[in-house]
Amino acid sequence: MAPLYATISSSLVTLTLLVAIANSNAILVKFGYSGANGPDRWGCLSPQFALCSKGTRQSPINIIKNGAVFNPKLRPLKRDYVASNATLVDNGFNIELKFDDAVGNVIVDGKKYWLKQMHWHSPSEHTINGERFPMEIHMVHKSDDGNITVIAIFYKYGHPDPFLFQIKEKLAELNKEARRGDDEAQIPVGVVRTKAFKRRARKYFRYVGSLTTPPCTENVIWIILGKVREITKEQADALRAPLSKEYKNNSRPIQPLNGRSVELYDAYISKQT
Ligand SMILES: *[C@@H]1O[C@H](CO)[C@@H](O)[C@H](O)[C@H]1NC(C)=O
Ligand SMILES: *[C@@H]1O[C@H](CO)[C@@H](O)[C@H](O)[C@H]1NC(C)=O
Ligand SMILES: *[C@@H]1O[C@H](CO)[C@@H](O)[C@H](O)[C@H]1NC(C)=O
């Protein structure tokens, strides 16, 4: 009897273990940017991440300026944001500024997408004619029925970015918390002014892609502004400081276009036609 009992009990243990793993899969799967859990392995880290390898409309992409098709139907970006309370969050793989309440929206094809959060990648994920920038911000918007639009803006090194300037101290606090080993440190920031993101965009590129982190959800409308913002090296370093070494570079490699078109809005051409 003894051997049989041992078999049953050990398979029970195995079963319990498997259930435990399956239940925690969604949260515990750690994706990275190099090595065994790097971008080319994301798709096999979890069934929920399958699109990362099987998807055919993935992001980021390289935008070839001359390949972008001017679309006279694209409207000027109507962004309506107000000052709003926000929280800085260390996600481990990036730093996010999450808005507590309704901060505002952007209208795309007549539909409202609400700004939920913004986060940073370095170096940039999208490239323009193969050029990579030191940093890229993703402003993630969601419609009431769950569709996603992300407005992406590149940063190059230069003058201080006034938007980042206002969260400087809070970012330093977040860094301290992260150093204390707090994995998902959060710092309430108070009211953040959003005026910097309401300026008229003279030019933008638009295509349909995916989230650039697992689960790599598709059907995301990407709007990439033509105007590059400036940031100091210190500001960029402050945004990377709370992240551990393996996430300081949190840029997913360029994905194949697979026949997708990139559209161009250009206020100057629009005026001529
Ligand atoms: C931000 O939060 C504070 C404290 O909860 C509140 O008094 C204030 O009205 C909020 N401000 C905005 C712009 O939401
Ligand atoms: C919203 O998302 C659904 C499913 O992802 C998609 O079929 C639909 O075309 C999207 N709608 C818009 C307006 O993007
Ligand atoms: C960051 O990682 C990507 C691959 O994920 C690689 O292509 C790129 O060269 C790296 N950049 C830096 C600055 O290390």
Side-chain angles (χ1 to χ4, degrees), residues 35-273:
N37 58 358
D40 54 339
R41 310 260 316 143
W42 288 355
C44 25
L45 294 177
S46 156
Q48 280 126 318
F49 297 174
L51 271 178
C52 300
S53 55
K54 294 210 179 82
T56 54
R57 306 204 298 168
Q58 290 287 298
S59 295
I61 58 165
N62 173 41
I63 291 167
I64 297 162
K65 276 189 183 170
N66 284 341
V69 182
F70 173 70
N71 180 354
K73 290 209 183 83
L74 293 186
R75 306 316 322 151
L77 264 197
K78 199 165 169 293
R79 286 178 290 176
D80 189 10
Y81 307 132
V82 293
S84 187
N85 282 312
T87 305
L88 261 178
V89 183
D90 178 0
N91 286 320
F93 54 89
N94 70 23
I95 301 301
E96 170 181 319
L97 187 65
K98 185 175 74 183
F99 290 97
D100 303 351
D101 330 288
V103 55
N105 59 66
V106 62
I107 294 176
V108 179
D109 294 339
K111 185 166 165 166
K112 254 184 201 163
Y113 293 83
W114 300 93
L115 178 59
K116 298 293 180 188
Q117 49 104 337
M118 44 179 89
H119 61 261
W120 291 264
H121 291 270
S122 72
S124 73
E125 298 203 293
H126 289 89
T127 53
I128 300 265
N129 285 354
E131 181 184 4
R132 205 177 281 284
F133 294 85
M135 204 156 249
E136 179 175 335
I137 186 172
H138 288 167
M139 304 177 69
V140 181
H141 301 68
K142 261 193 194 149
S143 65
D144 287 330
D145 56 355
N147 288 89
I148 302 173
T149 287
V150 184
I151 297 180
I153 309 171
F154 295 119
Y155 287 96
K156 65 180 177 192
Y157 289 136
H159 292 106
D161 178 59
F163 180 79
L164 281 171
F165 188 78
Q166 63 178 326
I167 60 169
K168 186 180 171 186
E169 267 107 57
K170 301 296 177 182
L171 205 49
E173 271 181 50
L174 185 71
N175 189 23
K176 258 190 234 154
E177 295 269 320
R179 262 152 213 282
R180 242 179 255 137
D182 190 349
D183 254 357
E184 283 189 31
Q186 299 208 359
I187 302 284
V189 176
V191 176
V192 173
R193 293 180 304 277
T194 48
K195 220 170 138 189
F197 294 112
K198 284 203 298 191
R199 279 194 212 110
R200 203 167 77 97
R202 210 178 60 75
K203 186 172 168 179
Y204 64 79
F205 300 97
R206 197 175 106 167
Y207 79 99
V208 178
S210 74
L211 299 181
T212 63
T213 49
C216 306
T217 312
E218 294 192 332
N219 251 313
V220 172
I221 299 175
W222 280 93
I223 293 172
I224 294 153
L225 302 195
K227 185 165 170 62
V228 175
R229 288 175 73 95
E230 291 188 15
I231 190 175
T232 61
K233 184 79 176 35
E234 290 71 32
Q235 286 182 312
D237 286 344
L239 274 172
R240 286 187 282 250
L243 303 174
S244 66
K245 199 163 162 251
E246 61 170 317
Y247 294 104
K248 289 204 195 285
N249 176 354
N250 55 8
S251 172
R252 186 189 192 192
I254 296 296
Q255 303 295 303
L257 208 49
N258 292 329
R260 284 173 289 174
S261 68
V262 176
E263 297 183 318
L264 169 70
Y265 165 82
D266 188 319
Y268 183 72
I269 305 178
S270 294
K271 225 166 23 187
Q272 311 274 302
T273 51

